[in-house]
Amino acid sequence: MDPCICYPRVDLRLEGTSTMRISLRFILPLAIALTAIAYAVVPLVDRLTLNWFVRDLEIRAKLITNATQEPLGALVREPKARQKVMSFFERIVQDERIYALGFCDKAGKLAYATRGFPETVRCAASGAQAHTALLQRPDGPLHVSGHPVALDGETLGELVIVHDMSFVQRRSEDTKRYIFYLFATIAA
């Protein structure tokens, strides 16, 4: 037998570096993939939430039109009822989401409008169906919808409802932030 003095083998590598390298090989691509997914998801979520809010505002405008049709029709038929119509409109506009209201007569002329009614909004042609549009302004987008007002089978004109959509921008920013936090939490 050959007398051999055996020394324990000493590993000079730092403990855990190979594990760290392997972890980085998986964590780094995962983080990049999650970032790319978040980047792609944000515009999609923005578009979906905008469509969702627009649909809600259209339903809300239809509800307002249906609820005000009879009293507004009666007021519009009264001669010299301008003050009553404006008072009626001002009560409706107290809602924080309603930016302005207007009423177009059968001739397509703006007969009544609250303060702040956008000058760029025009009345639709006589007898037109309900319509909607988005109006971009520096202080935020506006949702404009027009609905025919009829009383006793006679179309009297069109109620134009302008909703403030600045809350949509605020909620969209919140959603983007939440998506970022979600993916940051998943990546962690």
Side-chain angles (χ1 to χ4, degrees):
M1 275 205 192
D2 193 16
C4 174
I5 302 176
C6 296
Y7 295 103
R9 185 169 179 205
V10 177
D11 191 1
L12 297 177
R13 291 182 292 173
L14 293 175
E15 202 168 299
T17 54
S18 64
T19 307
M20 181 64 111
R21 241 185 265 144
I22 290 172
S23 294
L24 282 177
R25 249 192 283 166
F26 293 108
I27 291 174
L28 194 60
L30 177 64
I32 291 170
L34 286 174
T35 303
I37 291 170
Y39 187 74
V41 166
V42 167
L44 174 68
V45 170
D46 258 356
R47 202 168 37 254
L48 288 174
T49 55
L50 177 65
N51 290 341
W52 180 31
F53 284 121
V54 166
R55 190 172 51 248
D56 283 352
L57 290 176
E58 288 170 1
I59 292 168
R60 193 169 195 258
K62 184 67 176 160
L63 174 68
I64 292 169
T65 302
N66 289 340
T68 61
Q69 191 141 293
E70 285 184 36
L72 180 59
L75 287 173
V76 168
R77 282 184 170 171
E78 283 183 30
K80 299 183 181 182
R82 179 164 190 78
Q83 188 59 36
K84 289 181 182 179
V85 172
M86 294 309 295
S87 176
F88 183 62
F89 278 3
E90 289 301 327
R91 285 193 305 272
I92 296 170
V93 173
Q94 287 177 359
D95 183 294
E96 66 183 31
R97 301 261 194 271
I98 298 178
Y99 188 81
L101 284 175
F103 180 80
C104 300
D105 61 17
K106 287 190 278 190
K109 179 182 157 241
L110 186 63
Y112 307 101
T114 59
R115 286 184 306 265
F117 192 85
E119 293 177 13
T120 55
V121 175
R122 301 284 179 239
C123 296
S126 178
Q129 297 295 322
H131 59 89
T132 62
L134 286 178
L135 179 64
Q136 296 297 329
R137 295 177 51 107
D139 55 341
L142 298 174
H143 177 266
V144 180
S145 61
H147 296 273
V149 174
L151 191 61
D152 301 326
E154 177 190 359
T155 301
L156 303 172
E158 173 188 51
L159 179 63
V160 180
I161 303 169
V162 183
H163 280 99
D164 178 15
M165 289 187 65
S166 61
F167 74 97
V168 175
Q169 285 182 320
R170 289 189 302 273
R171 288 190 182 165
S172 177
E173 292 301 319
D174 289 345
T175 303
K176 286 177 190 176
R177 190 172 38 254
Y178 294 146
I179 288 173
F180 172 77
Y181 292 151
L182 172 71
F183 281 102
T185 302
I186 290 172

